[in-house]
Amino acid sequence: AQVRPPFARARFDPAEAAELFHLTAGEARIACEICAGARTLTEVAGALSISVNTVKTLLQRAYDKTGVRSQTELAMLLASALHPEPVQK
């Protein structure tokens, strides 16, 4: 079973991610979805109503700009730098 990080399900502000890491709006939205606990690229694509290929392209660009090599590294980087918003139940 896959274990989600403790910050999973938190909401992160894509504008804050974009500013801190010099990401485009699309790259930041994808990074924040991953940071919030999206497990697969299909989940990210569905949440953002974009294609999986677009997610792959933008995710690779986010990796290049942040210097990470995996979704886990990206999530850890963003979680350490961003301030999560409380999730409404």
Side-chain angles (χ1 to χ4, degrees):
Q2 191 173 28
V3 177
R4 289 187 180 206
F7 47 82
R9 297 186 48 138
R11 296 196 187 277
F12 295 88
D13 180 10
E16 185 181 8
E19 184 177 337
L20 284 174
F21 297 103
H22 308 287
L23 303 174
T24 65
E27 293 161 356
R29 285 192 308 270
I30 289 167
C32 287
E33 283 294 322
I34 289 169
C35 194
R39 293 183 186 179
T40 67
L41 300 184
T42 302
E43 284 182 3
V44 174
L48 300 176
S49 299
I50 59 177
S51 75
V52 173
N53 284 336
T54 299
V55 172
K56 289 178 183 178
T57 298
L58 294 175
L59 183 58
Q60 185 59 55
R61 290 179 186 165
Y63 287 172
D64 293 343
K65 290 179 180 181
T66 58
V68 302
R69 298 181 304 185
S70 71
Q71 290 180 37
T72 301
E73 287 180 10
L74 183 62
M76 298 292 283
L77 178 66
L78 265 65
S80 69
L82 302 179
H83 303 93
E85 300 169 8
V87 175
Q88 300 289 330
K89 289 193 176 188

